[in-house]
Amino acid sequence: MATDLYDLTVPVFLRGLRNLSAILDKGAAFAAEKGIDPLTLTQARLIPDMAPLTAQVQYASDTAKGTLIRIGALDPVPMPDTEQSFADLQERIAKTIAFVESVPRERIDGREDVEVTLKTPRGDFSFTARNHVLGFALPNFYFHVTTAYALLRQAGVPLGKMNYLGGI
């Protein structure tokens, strides 16, 4: 039995974004409880040359919406990368969730073999939609959600594996 491309994307992105939102809530609560400037957490990096927490959330958002836009041949949904606070990041996630929820199944399913192009500063990469989802989009999405989790965990936010996995 084949799995529809919609089922490999939309529910996965929604769950990951909702879990990321809950993780950020814990980060904001931790900052308030400990009297930490929230920007210390939202600008946290694992190492100096790695993007901060804000960018990890932006990249997860961009991966979710960009994947569906490319596969579904949908109009771009611009979101400037201006978020700084936990509230800003939550607003970004909420907008991304609203977009993902708005994508009709028929715009994704049946497009597994459509060619999609990912444009990056390093050049353009072409994939079939299926290969894009399985070989790039999902690993990239999870990388950024995991990194956001790790940044907050490393800063002392009381997070565990179940926070990352969310409601099972």
Side-chain angles (χ1 to χ4, degrees), residues 42-124:
T42 62
Q43 293 304 308
R45 299 169 188 263
L46 292 176
I47 60 173
D49 69 346
M50 191 172 201
L53 176 67
T54 52
Q56 302 304 325
V57 174
Q58 292 160 353
Y59 299 156
S61 164
D62 289 345
T63 299
K65 67 186 178 70
T67 298
L68 298 174
I69 288 167
R70 283 187 286 282
I71 293 170
L74 301 167
D75 291 333
V77 179
M79 291 185 191
D81 296 334
T82 57
E83 295 83 12
Q84 294 297 311
S85 68
F86 281 109
D88 295 340
L89 294 171
Q90 292 289 12
E91 184 178 335
R92 170 80 172 239
I93 292 171
K95 286 180 183 176
T96 306
I97 288 172
F99 168 73
V100 172
E101 289 177 331
S102 77
V103 175
R105 177 179 282 275
E106 60 271 9
R107 292 302 294 260
I108 305 301
D109 282 348
R111 297 183 55 82
E112 290 78 8
D113 295 320
V114 168
E115 184 176 324
V116 297
T117 302
L118 176 65
K119 296 179 181 298
T120 75
R122 294 185 179 144
D124 294 352

